Amino acid sequence: MFMLESHLSTEQSRAVAEIQAAAAESATNLFLAGGAMRDMLGGFPIRDLDFVVEGDAPKIAKVVAQKSGARLIAVDEVRRVVELQFPGGVNAELGMARREKYGKPGAKPQVTPATIYEDLRGRDFTINAIALSLNRASRGLLLDPTNGLGDLERRELRAVSNYSLYDDPIRLLRLLRFRVRLGFTLEERTAQSYANAREAEVEKHIQPKALLHELRQIANEVNSADLLRVLDEEKLLSLYSPALTGAKLNLAGLQKLQKARSFIPFNIPFPADNLALFLAVVTEKLTPKERAQLVSATGMGAAEVSAWQKLEARAKKLEKALTSAKLTKPSHVYEAVTAAPGEEVLYVLMKSSQRLAQDRIKNFFQKYLPLANEVTDKDVAAKGAAPGTPKFAKVRREVIAQRLDGRPKKVAPPPEPPPAPVAATAARGVRR
């Protein structure tokens, strides 16, 4: 538990507390599992929170959303899984402990409620089949029925069963994503299973919904250029669009995107629509017809298509605002950047030819955002504002503006010490 708490950001800790409270209120067993446990035990930053309950996950998720202000992003009615986004940009997945049976590769699974142990034994890879109890009676108990911890130590990717890649073929892409991100090798049987699955062409059974979900995960990867290069080499990127290969695969643009993201301070939330930003870059060299192929292959909705294809036009408006002569103080720049969606900010930083706009965004990330992040709730409450009220948010902005625009008082230099007395010279004529 100490390891978990030391790895979580303030916003993530708040999200864990909200879900714990809702699960306890409904007397439901709650576990932290999947990617969160993999990243924590592997020494990687925790990106997303994955929770499992032995009960009705959507019902608990609705309670969490009502009390915390979290937003329901997606609901999988078959698997009883809900994706949530908490204030501050923290993403969490809350799912029912379940058993899945597949009639054929890529088919809709038959899902039944199960225990946490059955859930873990039915997962894709052993490093994702580790859980931590968050229940009062067993808080801190580590569950690892497939020895995923050992595979983390050996830096190996091992499928939970010989049928993992056949049952759900999207795991072929997921396996490569973990290999690139973590730098792990494939365990011998898993490598052979991967080769057999590719020979059987099970990737052709991947459903559009699964492709879109995996595309969102790819868009969140820091080294997405390396990942797309591997997917292209493995002839799997063509599942999204046959045109995404060769000169039309904008790897140079993805490298620029990676550089722009590197300006975001570590462990300070900066929410952005990574999918829209990623697609705006990776499809830059595609024709309208080729982009339509990608939309069709993933079953992408109109809102997601609009967010991606209109990003450049929206970013130009932000670029114009950031070059305005009205931004005379650091607080003005801070307010202008924080008012804009994160994907627009990163797009301007990456693509703008206006040096002033780029410099102001860099100052925001390197100076203003870290300084603003130092303002605590205690600092704001000291001004007479109660947490959770509209006044509290207003006062926070005022305190941040004072910090950003304030100049340190000039301290008068200490007076110079009087000159040291000159030592008496030796008497003339005295030999030394």
Side-chain angles (χ1 to χ4, degrees):
M1 291 306 300
F2 173 77
M3 183 186 293
L4 173 63
E5 290 164 2
S6 64
H7 276 73
L8 295 175
S9 67
T10 302
E11 290 77 13
Q12 287 175 328
S13 296
R14 193 174 294 124
V16 171
E18 293 283 358
I19 292 179
Q20 275 187 284
E25 185 178 330
S26 63
T28 305
N29 291 330
L30 174 69
F31 305 88
L32 185 68
M37 291 299 298
R38 175 197 67 230
D39 293 342
M40 181 188 76
L41 295 171
F44 307 104
I46 297 178
R47 292 166 40 166
D48 299 316
L49 299 172
D50 302 294
F51 297 93
V52 178
V53 293
E54 293 179 329
D56 192 341
K59 182 179 179 180
I60 295 175
K62 290 179 181 178
V63 173
V64 172
Q66 291 172 355
K67 294 188 176 181
S68 66
R71 185 167 59 94
L72 298 178
I73 299 177
V75 180
D76 186 333
E77 294 292 353
V78 176
R79 292 180 171 86
R80 307 298 287 168
V81 176
V82 180
E83 293 182 39
L84 296 160
Q85 186 174 71
F86 287 83
V90 174
N91 292 319
E93 183 178 279
L94 184 62
M96 175 186 72
R98 61 193 182 274
R99 187 190 301 111
E100 298 179 2
K101 289 186 178 181
Y102 295 83
K104 59 181 180 179
K108 183 182 292 186
Q110 295 179 349
V111 178
T112 55
T115 66
I116 183 62
Y117 287 98
E118 292 171 317
D119 181 284
L120 295 176
R121 290 192 182 97
R123 296 205 165 208
D124 50 6
F125 310 112
T126 60
I127 61 171
N128 293 333
I130 308 171
L132 183 73
S133 173
L134 297 179
N135 304 301
R136 183 177 300 177
S138 58
R139 183 176 170 83
L141 177 65
L142 188 70
L143 309 176
D144 184 16
T146 63
N147 194 28
L149 187 57
D151 290 327
L152 279 172
E153 293 173 351
R154 286 186 295 273
R155 299 177 63 82
E156 278 189 343
L157 288 168
R158 178 165 59 92
V160 170
S161 78
N162 294 331
Y163 301 100
S164 293
L165 302 180
Y166 288 86
D167 288 342
D168 195 357
I170 195 64
R171 292 170 177 172
L172 294 169
L173 280 71
R174 197 180 305 163
L175 180 67
L176 297 176
R177 175 161 56 86
F178 288 141
R179 194 190 81 185
V180 172
R181 187 211 297 180
L182 304 176
F184 286 12
T185 58
L186 302 189
E187 180 262 341
E188 186 177 353
R189 286 188 179 181
T190 301
Q192 186 59 51
S193 180
Y194 173 84
N196 293 340
R198 293 304 310 279
E199 186 176 354
E201 298 184 329
V202 298
E203 66 271 12
K204 293 182 178 179
H205 299 287
I206 300 176
Q207 298 298 314
K209 186 177 180 180
L211 280 174
L212 179 58
H213 183 271
E214 182 61 20
L215 190 63
R216 289 196 188 98
Q217 302 304 315
I218 294 172
N220 290 331
E221 294 294 328
V222 175
N223 52 350
S224 56
D226 293 339
L227 176 55
L228 287 197
R229 187 181 295 109
V230 171
L231 292 174
D232 184 34
E233 292 170 355
E234 293 291 323
K235 310 299 182 186
L236 288 171
L237 199 55
S238 59
L239 294 171
Y240 291 101
S241 172
L244 283 175
T245 188
K248 287 197 172 184
L249 183 56
N250 191 15
L251 296 178
L254 291 175
Q255 294 287 0
K256 291 181 180 179
L257 174 58
Q258 183 174 336
K259 183 178 179 181
R261 283 175 170 168
S262 69
F263 283 95
I264 302 175
F266 177 73
N267 217 23
I268 296 182
F270 185 73
D273 186 343
N274 287 330
L275 180 61
L277 185 59
F278 171 82
L279 288 174
V281 175
V282 81
T283 63
E284 188 174 310
K285 299 181 180 181
L286 301 187
T287 65
K289 182 178 180 181
E290 290 166 344
R291 294 181 184 182
Q293 286 178 329
L294 189 149
V295 172
S296 176
T298 58
M300 198 177 301
E304 289 170 316
V305 174
S306 176
W308 144 39
Q309 297 188 354
K310 295 182 179 179
L311 177 58
E312 182 179 2
R314 298 199 310 271
K316 285 187 178 297
K317 294 181 180 179
L318 175 61
E319 180 186 53
K320 184 178 180 180
L322 288 174
T323 54
S324 171
K326 296 180 180 180
L327 305 183
T328 58
K329 298 179 180 180
S331 61
H332 296 165
V333 176
Y334 176 82
E335 290 169 3
V337 175
T338 52
E343 62 274 14
E344 294 180 19
V345 175
L346 291 171
Y347 192 89
V348 172
L349 178 60
M350 179 179 58
K351 302 288 264 182
S352 177
S353 59
Q354 299 291 328
R355 180 66 179 271
L356 181 59
Q358 287 195 343
D359 287 344
R360 282 176 166 171
I361 292 176
K362 290 177 182 178
N363 284 334
F364 168 81
F365 283 131
Q366 296 173 339
K367 300 177 183 179
Y368 310 151
L369 185 58
L371 190 59
N373 198 60
E374 294 177 2
V375 175
T376 64
D377 290 352
K378 187 176 180 181
D379 296 329
V380 181
K383 300 288 185 179
T389 63
K391 182 181 178 182
F392 187 83
K394 180 181 179 182
V395 173
R396 177 183 286 277
R397 291 194 296 270
E398 293 172 353
V399 173
I400 290 174
Q402 291 172 0
R403 291 273 183 99
L404 295 177
D405 298 336
R407 296 181 178 179
K409 294 181 180 180
K410 293 184 178 181
V411 180
E416 295 184 2
V422 179
T425 60
R428 290 181 181 179
V430 178
R431 293 180 180 271
R432 290 186 179 273

